Amino acid sequence: MTPHDTQTLINKAKEVLALNDMGGWTRPDPGLYVHQWLWDSFFAAIGQRHYDIERAKTEVRSPFRAQWKNGMLPHIIFGDAKGYHAGPELWHCERSKDAPDNIQTSGVTQPPVAAEAVVRVGQKLSAEERRAWYREMYPKLLAYHQWFYRERNPRGDGLPVIVLSWETGMDNTPPWMHSMHRYAMSLRAQLIQQANFTSIMERFRKDTAAVPAEERISTIDLYAVYDLIKSLRKYKYDNETIMREHKLLIVDVTFSCILIRANVLLKEIADEIGEALPMDIEHAMHVAPHALETLWDTETQQYCNRNVSTGRLIKIPTVSTFMPLYAGVLPKERVKTLIRQMHDPKTFGTPFPIPSTPINSDYFRPNRYWQGPTWVNMNWMLADGLERNGEKKEAEQLRERTVDMIARGGMQEYFSPFDAEPAGAANFSWTAALLIDMLTD
Ligand code: 9WN
């Protein structure tokens, strides 16, 4: 790519971020996701830091204005826009004693990339400014991380229990959909499915006005997710009740890996400002990598989610199997195995890697959301992980393929792993932001 092309792409990406700039926060896109999402904002800041550091700081601060009293950062903060398919009237977050006052949010969280964004912004500051920035952010970040261990880690093994596929950010990822169908379909969802009512229910969907239905979560899966949200709402988002009563409790590989990495970054922040991490976090940092290894399935040679209720691994392959590269430094042999799998043309080794679901999976569709397409945020984290695992060339190659995919497909939400055909929402913020990051660093 010529320097000229690079500059044109960066300019286009900045235009997308400007288009989605709502003042103090960035929406994911102009049509479908018209509120604020947690990990989207942190990814947005990772791009913004390259050309407007103050704006990036504002973006990182903004999700904390809705931090729950128990420390949780909610996955959506609702603004005034109308029309989103799962708005405040579905969540009723005010039913929780922990919900923030005077602001509407969802009642679950999303992968904790907050510490990553705080550190990436910190990298662009002078040592003195960085310490001030870290002093400001550390207590809020710490409260968030401690919430996981107080409320979502009954086994004390350092891996959080996730209660809705939307928390993982990979909404219809196959292992979650499989377990939901098997163990957690509401009566209503079962009836819709059995009576073949899905085509009728399809008409009531709001999300498919913005994006074609075949690129989104299926209708039955969406209604089942809505019903799970209603059951969390019934439990008033109280995690003690949820851990006891909820039908779908999963230890998720991607989520776990992001939290493991986030704790390492939290420690970096604490060290720089002379703070000692509390015991609960120290303990989690010590035990979580061992617990992560129990998610490795020797038979199928992949990392798998675990269904907490059955105790069994869900052996359905997805891109998550590579995320332990992002979590930390793995033994060389394991790194080589994962890289071999990434390049296998029968599974993940596509022209525009890495597909969210391998191409030989029954679930695979090249344009259906988290069941096949390639996502820029996953590639960004995996390239970072490859690099920290000593695989610089692999990391560079993955970034090049990702940039090429965006250059062909545009600033889209996701892409076909075969030919970079764009799918999902257009003018998508994290694609733009992470592209800027990949082209700048
Ligand atoms: C539900 C905003 C979000 C992303 C998620 C992605 C999608 C929402 C939806 O959009 O989820 O949270 O309505 O489909 O799966 O990762 O944060 O971009």
Side-chain angles (χ1 to χ4, degrees):
M1 199 172 303
T2 64
H4 176 74
D5 293 336
T6 304
Q7 201 46 52
T8 313
L9 271 179
I10 292 180
N11 291 343
K12 271 196 199 151
K14 286 188 189 170
E15 277 168 27
V16 168
L17 290 172
L19 172 73
N20 290 328
D21 191 339
M22 306 303 288
W25 54 274
T26 305
R27 66 184 173 199
D29 85 306
L32 179 56
Y33 311 114
V34 287
H35 303 284
Q36 181 175 15
W37 265 259
L38 187 61
W39 70 338
D40 298 64
S41 267
F42 294 128
F43 287 132
I46 290 171
Q48 289 163 342
R49 74 188 171 127
H50 292 291
Y51 59 95
D52 188 345
I53 190 70
E54 285 309 317
R55 182 64 190 79
K57 280 179 162 178
T58 305
E59 191 71 31
V60 174
R61 285 179 183 123
S62 63
F64 290 93
R65 77 190 186 286
Q67 187 159 28
W68 281 34
K69 290 165 196 151
N70 56 3
M72 184 185 83
L73 285 177
H75 104 289
I76 310 175
I77 303 175
F78 294 107
D80 298 330
K82 298 274 169 281
Y84 177 61
H85 67 106
E89 63 289 346
L90 172 66
W91 297 91
H92 281 288
C93 72
E94 70 287 349
R95 294 195 190 172
S96 164
K97 62 176 181 6
D98 296 316
D101 303 323
N102 309 319
I103 192 156
Q104 294 279 0
T105 74
S106 69
V108 297
T109 191
Q110 248 187 348
V113 286
E116 179 78 84
V118 169
V119 168
R120 297 275 170 166
V121 167
Q123 286 168 356
K124 294 282 171 188
L125 301 171
S126 70
E128 199 182 326
E129 287 167 339
R130 184 167 52 249
R131 277 194 294 272
W133 169 240
Y134 282 179
R135 267 186 222 111
E136 176 190 340
M137 298 312 297
Y138 176 70
K140 302 174 186 180
L141 272 181
L142 182 63
Y144 181 37
H145 286 215
Q146 289 190 298
W147 169 76
F148 286 109
Y149 302 110
R150 203 178 48 249
E151 303 206 4
R152 288 291 192 86
N153 190 215
R155 284 159 56 105
D157 63 356
L159 304 186
V161 173
I162 306 305
V163 302
L164 191 73
S165 63
W166 285 10
E167 289 203 301
T168 72
M170 306 168 75
D171 304 14
N172 67 339
T173 185
W176 272 87
M177 295 303 97
H178 169 84
S179 302
M180 184 172 75
H181 278 267
R182 189 131 184 213
Y183 303 105
M185 292 297 268
S186 65
L187 202 60
R188 179 179 84 132
Q190 288 179 38
L191 283 173
I192 295 174
Q193 197 171 28
Q194 277 163 19
N196 257 326
F197 280 159
T198 42
S199 54
I200 298 172
M201 300 305 282
E202 216 153 285
R203 293 193 218 134
F204 297 104
R205 289 182 65 164
K206 284 188 186 163
D207 58 327
T208 46
V211 169
E214 70 270 16
E215 295 176 14
R216 295 280 301 162
I217 187 171
S218 75
T219 299
I220 186 63
D221 290 354
L222 184 63
Y223 279 96
V225 169
Y226 287 160
D227 287 347
L228 282 175
I229 293 172
K230 287 181 193 155
S231 107
L232 295 170
R233 182 176 87 188
K234 189 178 81 200
Y235 304 137
K236 299 192 171 81
Y237 304 105
D238 173 62
N239 282 301
E240 222 180 287
T241 317
I242 293 171
M243 292 301 119
R244 208 176 49 236
E245 306 285 345
H246 196 52
K247 294 208 172 61
L248 198 56
L249 300 173
I250 286 182
V251 169
D252 182 86
V253 176
T254 287
F255 203 111
S256 300
C257 291
I258 293 176
L259 184 57
I260 290 173
R261 175 72 187 141
N263 279 332
V264 172
L265 295 167
L266 185 72
K267 187 167 168 51
E268 254 177 61
I269 295 170
D271 285 350
E272 192 155 343
I273 57 173
E275 292 279 346
L277 284 179
M279 279 299 287
D280 51 353
I281 304 285
E282 288 281 5
H283 172 77
M285 289 182 73
H286 183 67
V287 293
H290 303 284
L292 185 64
E293 261 322 283
T294 69
L295 303 183
W296 175 256
D297 178 46
T298 32
E299 182 199 329
T300 57
Q301 298 276 292
Q302 59 176 327
Y303 286 96
C304 305
N305 293 352
R306 186 188 297 284
N307 183 323
V308 175
S309 313
T310 64
R312 282 204 288 274
L313 293 180
I314 310 163
K315 301 185 185 184
I316 301 177
T318 73
V319 63
S320 290
T321 191
F322 303 117
M323 282 299 286
L325 291 165
Y326 176 76
V329 177
L330 298 176
K332 264 277 135 307
E333 215 22 65
R334 179 64 51 78
V335 176
K336 293 291 169 209
T337 304
L338 293 176
I339 290 177
R340 237 186 351 262
Q341 294 173 351
M342 265 183 202
H343 290 291
D344 182 348
K346 292 195 291 304
T347 55
F348 293 100
T350 53
F352 297 95
I354 298 171
S356 43
T357 297
I359 61 174
N360 62 348
S361 161
D362 288 343
Y363 285 92
F364 178 80
R365 300 282 176 283
N367 59 355
R368 199 190 267 286
Y369 213 28
W370 291 95
Q371 298 190 346
T374 298
W375 287 74
V376 173
N377 64 332
M378 299 307 285
N379 282 7
W380 184 88
M381 288 186 282
L382 289 171
D384 182 60
L386 282 165
E387 196 160 329
R388 279 184 286 104
N389 274 277
E391 297 291 341
K392 201 168 165 38
K393 250 174 106 181
E394 289 289 337
E396 273 166 12
Q397 224 178 65
L398 181 57
R399 288 192 191 109
E400 271 167 29
R401 299 310 303 135
T402 311
V403 169
D404 188 22
M405 178 177 81
I406 305 169
R408 288 164 194 250
M411 307 289 158
Q412 205 74 18
E413 190 180 7
Y414 39 90
F415 304 81
S416 160
F418 297 131
D419 54 9
E421 176 80 21
N427 293 313
F428 195 66
S429 293
W430 84 40
T431 298
L434 299 177
L435 174 76
I436 294 172
D437 193 66
M438 287 185 287
L439 287 175
T440 313
D441 265 359

